[in-house]
Amino acid sequence: AQSVTQLGSHVSVSEGALVLLRCNYSSSVPPYLFWYVQYPNQGLQLLLKYTTGATLVKGINGFEAEFKKSETSFHLTKPSAHMSDAAEYFCAVNRGNQFYFGTGTSLTVIP
Amino acid sequence: DAGVTQSPTHLIKTRGQQVTLRCSPKSGHDTVSWYQQALGQGPQFIFQYYEEEERQRGNFPDRFSGHQFPNYSSELNVNALLLGDSALYLCASSYQGVANYGYTFGSGTRLTVV
């Protein structure tokens, strides 16, 4: 069975501080991994994805994530938080034509 | 280039009623997937339609059914609505369902069952 665990349902950071959102997956084989962002009353927007190749993936809005097979992790980072980063973030695995999403992490940015 | 369009954006239904939600995929996409997102949860896969057939289904009861039309648009039907069906329903389109080609999500339909 596929599953994704996001540690920390709520994360607060100061503006300009490092953002770190944690994601661990369980899979018998390396999956396709994704991070999505959801703003209030909106759908999901793709931040970045890992399929094959380089394990450090760069996405939009300054976000990046590193696939670590040994740790079964795909943590999302951004060096400097901006007020506009406040949103809900979802880590997801894609296998067999479907996404398996984590329960989400709500990011609050404190001015 | 229009993305995924879902209608309506909001609706309120009474327990026991039936509802139909609609989705138009992004131009160039031929596959439509539906997800249910309960409040405070991640989206859960309902089913995927490709070539007008249900290709894959998640763990949802038969009250949830769908259809895909020749122009690739899709409908999600829910019968005998329960209070627990209240959620945001997301449609995602893709090319042949291949994740590497990219999925595009719509803004969703917020269904409230009273």
Side-chain angles (χ1 to χ4, degrees):
Chain A
Q2 313 298 323
S3 72
V4 173
T5 302
Q6 292 185 240
L7 296 176
S9 58
H10 297 276
V11 171
S12 294
V13 300
S14 298
E15 189 175 14
L18 172 72
V19 175
L20 171 60
L21 305 182
R22 300 178 186 274
C23 173
N24 288 87
Y25 67 91
S26 64
S27 175
S28 57
V29 295
Y32 288 175
L33 293 160
F34 299 76
W35 275 99
Y36 282 89
V37 61
Q38 186 175 38
Y39 297 100
N41 300 314
Q42 294 189 25
L44 302 175
Q45 180 182 3
L46 178 66
L47 280 176
L48 48 81
K49 64 180 179 181
Y50 169 79
T51 54
T52 58
T55 56
L56 182 61
V57 180
K58 295 186 183 298
I60 63 172
N61 301 337
F63 285 94
E64 63 181 37
E66 186 171 10
F67 169 62
K68 293 187 177 181
K69 183 179 178 181
S70 61
E71 299 177 5
T72 60
S73 69
F74 191 57
H75 301 330
L76 181 71
T77 61
K78 182 175 180 178
S80 177
H82 191 272
M83 295 299 294
S84 61
D85 295 327
E88 189 83 16
Y89 291 80
F90 293 95
C91 180
V93 165
N94 184 280
R95 288 197 63 81
N97 298 320
Q98 68 173 281
F99 284 94
Y100 299 84
F101 288 90
T103 53
T105 297
S106 177
L107 176 66
T108 299
V109 181
I110 303 168
Chain B
D1 180 24
V4 175
T5 303
Q6 292 188 243
S7 63
T9 55
H10 298 82
L11 74 165
I12 300 174
K13 289 288 188 177
T14 302
R15 188 172 48 184
Q17 286 188 315
Q18 180 265 346
V19 69
T20 297
L21 311 181
R22 295 176 175 83
C23 172
S24 293
K26 180 179 179 179
S27 177
H29 286 181
D30 58 6
T31 305
V32 173
S33 304
W34 287 92
Y35 287 80
Q36 180 196 64
Q37 185 179 14
L39 196 62
Q41 300 296 317
Q44 298 288 319
F45 176 74
I46 302 175
F47 42 54
Q48 184 180 85
Y49 275 84
Y50 173 68
E51 294 187 335
E52 301 181 46
E53 291 190 357
E54 183 182 293
R55 178 159 73 176
Q56 191 166 344
R57 188 178 183 93
N59 188 26
F60 278 80
D62 292 343
R63 297 187 297 109
F64 290 77
S65 63
H67 188 78
Q68 185 179 35
F69 299 93
N71 66 352
Y72 308 123
S73 66
S74 176
E75 289 182 348
L76 164 65
N77 301 292
V78 186
N79 295 321
L81 284 167
L82 304 174
L83 297 179
D85 295 329
S86 295
L88 179 67
Y89 288 84
L90 296 168
C91 170
S93 72
S94 58
Y95 177 67
Q96 297 190 349
V98 177
N100 202 22
Y101 295 158
Y103 275 65
T104 301
F105 282 82
S107 297
T109 294
R110 173 74 63 187
L111 171 65
T112 302
V113 182
V114 298

